[in-house]
Every structure is written in C-alpha cells, then in structure tokens.
Amino acid sequence: MPVSAADAVGAAAESLGAKLGGRTPRLALILGSGLGGPAARITAALDLAFAEVPGFPPAGIRGHAGRVIAGPLDGVEVLVFAGRRHVYEGDDPAIVALPVRVAHALGARVLFVSNAAGGIRRSFQPGELMIIRDHINLMWRNPLHGPVAPHETRFPDMSAPYDADLAAALRAAAADARVPVTEGVYAAVLGPSYETPAEIRMLERLGADAVGMSTVPEVIAARALGMRVAGVSLITNPAAGLGPPLHHDEVLAAGARAADHVDRLVRGFVARVAGPAGASR
Ligand code: HPA
C-alpha cells in the first residue's frame, strides 16, 4: 500500500499508463452521482474498478460506480472517472483528489467535473444544469494540506478556478444540443447529513446558488497543477427547507432523468475542447 499521496499517484499513473500504451488523454472527466452516461460511449482501452488501480480505495456509495475508463469518446482520447470518493467517507482530501493528480500525470491538462447538487436559487427546478462559475469551500478541508506534491504550487491562485473559455465551450455545446443551462456558484459542504433550512438560508446569503458535498477538492488540486477546469452541477432537488424532505434516492432518480441532457452536453463539450479552437491553448 502506498504510504503518501505522491506514492499513490505514482503507482496509479504507472499502472494505468502501462495499460494505455502510449495514449495520452486530452481531457479528464470526473462524473458524479448517476452522471456516468458518457463513459458508456467510450471505446474502452481500459475499464477498471477503482479498487483494481494501485493506490485507489474502492468506491462505496450507491450510485457511485467507481470505475476508471479510458479511450476515445467520439474520437477524442479521454480519461473518465465514473464516480468519486468524498471527504465524508472519511478519506483524506488528498485521496479524493487522487484522480486529478493521476490524470495530470498521464498528460491530461483539462478537467471536467460534474456533480449532483441541491438548488438554493429559488427558481431552480430539479433536472436543471448549472455551469459552475465559482465555488465556496465550506468543507474546511484542502487537498493541498501537507507537503507540496510534485508539479504543484504551494499557493495556487483561485481568482478564476473555472476557466472562462471552457465555460464558453459548455454554453456553446449546450446551445447546439438544445440543453438548457444556467450559471452559478457552488457551495461545497462536508456532509454527509443534508443541510438544515437555516444553513440553506445562510448559504443563500453567502452567495451560493447550489450546494453539494464534492468537486471542490478535485478543482483545487487541478488548479495547483495548472489544469484548466470546467464544471457542471445537476440540480437534483430543492435545497432543504425549499421543498419536500431530502432523500438520496431522489438525487439518483433526478440524475437518471437528466442523463440524456448531461450526455449531450458532455459530448458537445469534449468535441469543442478537442477541436481547433480548444487546441489553441
Ligand atoms: N445538499 C447537499 N448535497 C446534495 C444535495 C443537497 O441538497 N442534493 C444533491 N447533493
């Protein structure tokens, strides 16, 4: 068992790199709760459970398949993590961010992340997609805590964590695919209990449009590595106090209903980022 995050990254990257046999993923995609649909379209050069990758812990939560899949998606080499670890599972945030560091080690320089989130903005309906414009880290945890990892910077700038050009690519892909999208601020909390109505009112005042329990550790690690990031939240439910009591099954059901929209958005995005305009940076 690797003893440090850097060892885990090295072991995972070595193992996956050998299986990829010289393929370099252009993009890494971390797909959240029930949002792993695009992975099924990959002509898989590699398809492994997290537990089969050296350094990776197994995924535990229902709806989190926890698979690493690599190969061409509509002709573009991608590395997909279908499912993720969460800090609430008791993992060190460095483990949660491991996929990002491994993707970087394998050559990916663009990260797309998706998640399920509760809608704080009053107009949100379950099934809506929100491009993440910015985030608020209320997990009080950081994957960079500890020694500086290889290729990372100690104090990464977070003034533009979500890349403006990639957000434009998401908007364009959404328009092409006739998938409605909005933009907003994602607040990350530790969980796993859902929020109270008072906490939601607080988050609303802080400027959050949606709330969830993931994504931020991965985005911080990506920025420390200089990767460009795009993110989308699927609003699965009105946040606590704004609708009926919350249940994880509803989150999964909303993911299943929105699967087609997410699929079309992700495919359009990948094609654009890998196309001539996306390749210029
Ligand atoms: N709160 C936190 N995380 C979530 C929610 C929520 O309402 N819905 C889906 N993930």
Side-chain angles (χ1 to χ4, degrees):
M1 187 66 190
V3 293
S4 72
D7 288 346
V9 173
E14 193 180 322
S15 162
L16 295 179
K19 292 194 169 66
L20 284 177
R23 291 163 183 258
T24 300
R26 293 284 307 276
L27 300 92
L29 315 176
I30 300 179
L31 306 176
S33 293
L35 303 177
R41 298 187 178 272
I42 295 175
T43 317
L46 171 166
D47 182 351
L48 298 169
F50 279 7
E52 296 175 276
V53 182
F56 271 68
I61 304 301
R62 268 188 306 149
H64 296 274
R67 296 196 77 80
V68 189
I69 300 138
L73 174 62
D74 300 329
V76 180
E77 290 293 334
V78 297
L79 179 64
V80 173
F81 298 90
R84 53 157 64 87
R85 298 296 293 193
H86 295 83
V87 182
Y88 62 68
E89 292 173 82
D91 287 328
D92 191 287
I95 293 291
V96 177
L98 188 58
V100 174
R101 288 169 164 154
V102 172
H104 181 269
L106 292 171
R109 296 292 176 265
V110 172
L111 173 69
F112 171 85
V113 284
S114 65
N115 59 50
I120 297 175
R121 190 187 296 166
R122 305 291 169 122
S123 60
F124 273 152
Q125 301 292 328
E128 275 190 63
L129 295 175
M130 181 188 89
I131 297 173
I132 305 175
R133 193 176 58 230
D134 202 348
H135 71 225
I136 305 174
N137 183 6
L138 295 171
M139 289 180 162
W140 311 118
R141 303 282 199 289
N142 197 300
L144 310 183
H145 186 220
V148 182
H151 312 293
E152 294 182 9
T153 170
R154 176 76 299 179
F155 302 111
D157 173 53
M158 292 297 284
S159 53
Y162 300 86
D163 186 90
D165 292 339
L166 295 181
L170 277 172
R171 284 194 298 272
D176 276 358
R178 298 183 196 284
V179 171
V181 288
T182 56
E183 292 190 35
V185 173
Y186 175 83
V189 295
L190 182 61
S193 50
Y194 287 119
E195 302 70 40
T196 65
E199 287 165 347
I200 293 302
R201 289 194 297 275
M202 174 191 76
L203 293 174
E204 188 176 31
R205 288 182 183 195
L206 292 180
D209 298 294
V211 58
M213 304 172 192
S214 70
T215 301
V216 162
E218 294 105 305
V219 172
I220 292 173
R223 293 307 299 146
L225 288 160
M227 295 173 77
R228 299 162 63 207
V229 179
V232 170
S233 289
L234 166 65
I235 306 301
T236 52
N237 56 277
L242 303 179
L246 274 50
H247 199 285
H248 187 58
D249 286 342
E250 277 167 47
V251 171
L252 296 181
R257 282 196 302 275
D260 175 56
H261 275 183
V262 176
D263 208 28
R264 278 157 44 204
L265 179 61
V266 170
R267 291 175 72 194
F269 173 74
V270 168
R272 277 174 183 276
V273 172
S280 66
R281 284 187 49 188

